Amino acid sequence: MVRALLLILAALGAVPATAAAEGDFLVIAHRGASGERPEHTLAAYERAIDQGADYIEPDLVATKDMRLVARHETEIGETTDVGTHEEFADRKRSKTIEGRLVTGWFAEDFTLAELRSLRVKERLPGLRPVNARFDGLYQIPTFEEIVTLVRAKEAETGRAIGIYPELKHPTWLLQEEGIDTVDLLATALRKADLDDADDRVFVQVFEIGPLQRLDALVESPLVLLIAVEGGPYDEPAMSWAEIMTPTGLAQVATYADGIGPYLGHVLAADGSPTALIADAHAAGLQVHPWTLRKENAFLPPALRRGTAEGAPGDLAALAGMVVAAGADGVFTDDPALVLSALGR
C-alpha cells in the first residue's frame, strides 16, 4: 500500500521520485509502544523493541535525589496513581512551568524510593481503553534501567537498538529547582559508555542552550525539537518559524545534528512535503518529525476511518507520506504498524 502511494505521489510530482527507494529510515518508538502499553514503562519499551523499532524514546525528568526517570512531564499525577496515596497528599501543589500554571504532583518533589511506591496508569484511557487494563502493573523506570533493558534485548536478539532520550524542561528545572539534568544525562551517558558519536543514541531538547552545553560534553548526535508554534523557552526572542528558515537551520547545524519538527511542519494539508526537509538536509541536518499515531483523533480528516475518536485510521498512508517527503525517520506510538507499512 505505501509503496504504491509513494509511486503515485511521485508521478504527480508531489514528492521526489527517489523517495520510495530511500533506505535507513528510522522508526522511533515514541515513549515506547505507547499505543499498546502505558507510556514510559519498561513494558512499553520492550514491546517496541520486540516489534522491531530502531530506537526507543524515553522522556527524562529528575527526582529530588537527582535520579533521571522516564515520565512525559515533571507532573506525575496524570500518569501514576500518586493521587490515591494519602501519604503524599501534602505534596500536591501548583507550579508555573515555562509560563503555564500546572497543579499536581511533581517528580522533583519525590525521592526515587518514594516514586517506587507508585504505579503507572494510562494517560489517554478514553482513547486507549485497552492500555488502561495494564494500570497498576508497572513502576516508573530509571534511565539506568532503560539502558539495562536495551542491552539485554540486544543480547537476546543480536540486533542493535538505539536510545533517543529527551530532556524535559531542563532550563526551568535548573533555574527553579536547582536540578541540572544536562549534567545528569551527560554523566549517565558517559557512565554507560554511550557518549560517543557512533553509539546508537540521539539526545533531543526543545531548547537551544541545553543542546549547546551537551555539544561540549558528549559526542552523541543532538536534535533540536520544534514545537507547533512559539519558540524555544530559553530563547524568548526567537521563533520556531525563524529557526526553520535556511539561515536558522544553518545556525542549528553549528550545535546539533538534526531537527525533530512537528509533523505539520513537514507535510502540508494535502500530504505534500513542505520545504523544511530539503532545507534541513541542505544544512546537513537529519529530520525526524513527530508523531504518528493510529487513532482518528490524531490523524488528518482524509485518513480517518469511521467516526470514533479512538478508532484506528489509515496510519499506513501517513507513514508513506512521511517517507515520501524525504524524512530520515519518524516518531510513532505504533511502531509495529509503521514498520508493517514500510514493508519491514
Side-chain angles (χ1 to χ4, degrees), residues 298-323:
F298 303 113
L299 293 170
L303 298 182
R304 295 173 188 170
R305 299 294 177 263
T307 58
E309 292 285 276
D314 194 351
L315 183 64
L318 186 57
M321 293 173 188
V322 174
V323 175

Side-chain angles (χ1 to χ4, degrees), residues 46 73-74 85 90-91 95 101 106 125 127 131 141 144-145 157 172 182-183 191 235 257 293 314 324 331:
E46 184 169 18
E73 286 291 343
T74 63
H85 287 248
D90 62 348
R91 305 283 180 94
K95 298 185 180 186
L101 183 64
F106 299 86
L127 290 177
N131 286 16
E144 290 86 354
E145 288 170 337
T157 64
W172 179 85
V182 169
D183 183 67
K191 182 177 179 181
E235 294 286 352
D257 304 275
R293 298 177 168 109
D314 194 351
F331 291 90

Side-chain angles (χ1 to χ4, degrees), residues 59-63 67-71 107 112 115 140-143:
D59 295 338
L60 299 179
V61 300
T63 66
R67 298 292 298 277
L68 290 173
V69 296
R71 286 293 85 196
L112 179 60
L115 287 184
I140 296 174
T142 65
F143 181 65

Side-chain angles (χ1 to χ4, degrees), residues 32 41-50 56 141-157 159 161 163:
T41 58
L42 293 180
Y45 300 135
E46 184 169 18
R47 180 77 167 172
I49 292 168
D50 289 343
I56 59 169
T142 65
F143 181 65
E144 290 86 354
E145 288 170 337
I146 296 167
V147 172
T148 298
L149 171 67
V150 166
R151 287 180 166 159
K153 297 301 290 187
E154 286 180 328
E156 174 189 327
T157 64
R159 182 167 64 87
I161 301 158
I163 306 175

Side-chain angles (χ1 to χ4, degrees), residues 91-340:
R91 305 283 180 94
K92 188 175 184 179
R93 63 198 63 198
S94 296
K95 298 185 180 186
T96 300
I97 301 177
E98 298 185 1
R100 185 170 65 96
L101 183 64
V102 181
T103 299
W105 291 262
F106 299 86
E108 63 270 15
D109 296 330
F110 291 78
T111 65
L112 179 60
E114 289 171 333
L115 287 184
R116 290 298 199 197
S117 68
L118 308 180
R119 292 297 180 271
V120 172
K121 65 181 182 181
E122 170 58 36
R123 188 174 62 88
L124 301 171
L127 290 177
R128 295 170 174 173
V130 173
N131 286 16
R133 298 176 187 173
F134 297 94
D135 286 0
L137 294 181
Y138 310 122
Q139 291 180 310
I140 296 174
T142 65
F143 181 65
E144 290 86 354
E145 288 170 337
I146 296 167
V147 172
T148 298
L149 171 67
V150 166
R151 287 180 166 159
K153 297 301 290 187
E154 286 180 328
E156 174 189 327
T157 64
R159 182 167 64 87
I161 301 158
I163 306 175
Y164 206 128
E166 176 190 348
L167 288 181
K168 306 294 291 193
H169 312 298
T171 297
W172 179 85
L173 279 170
L174 181 59
Q175 292 176 343
E176 302 297 327
E177 303 290 339
I179 299 174
D180 189 349
T181 54
V182 169
D183 183 67
L184 290 176
L185 181 56
T187 300
L189 290 173
R190 285 194 294 267
K191 182 177 179 181
D193 194 22
L194 289 173
D195 59 328
D196 295 325
D198 58 351
D199 289 319
R200 291 181 65 83
V201 173
F202 287 94
V203 179
Q204 53 178 337
V205 193
F206 276 104
E207 300 173 19
I208 294 173
L211 284 176
Q212 292 173 330
R213 288 185 58 204
L214 283 164
D215 191 36
L217 294 171
V218 297
E219 296 178 5
S220 309
L222 306 176
V223 173
L224 176 65
L225 293 170
I226 299 175
V228 178
E229 57 187 12
Y233 171 70
D234 66 324
E235 294 286 352
M238 300 181 68
S239 70
W240 295 123
E242 176 187 359
I243 288 169
M244 289 187 287
T245 64
T247 300
L249 293 167
Q251 182 61 35
V252 172
T254 65
Y255 58 84
D257 304 275
I259 58 172
Y262 165 61
L263 189 61
H265 293 319
V266 302
L267 292 178
D270 63 356
S272 62
T274 68
L276 180 58
I277 292 177
D279 289 345
H281 285 168
L285 297 167
Q286 296 188 54
V287 184
H288 303 151
W290 50 270
T291 305
L292 298 191
R293 298 177 168 109
K294 66 179 178 294
E295 293 87 2
N296 281 333
F298 303 113
L299 293 170
L303 298 182
R304 295 173 188 170
R305 299 294 177 263
T307 58
E309 292 285 276
D314 194 351
L315 183 64
L318 186 57
M321 293 173 188
V322 174
V323 175
D328 303 286
V330 72
F331 291 90
T332 178
D333 290 7
D334 302 283
L337 296 179
V338 172
L339 287 161
S340 176

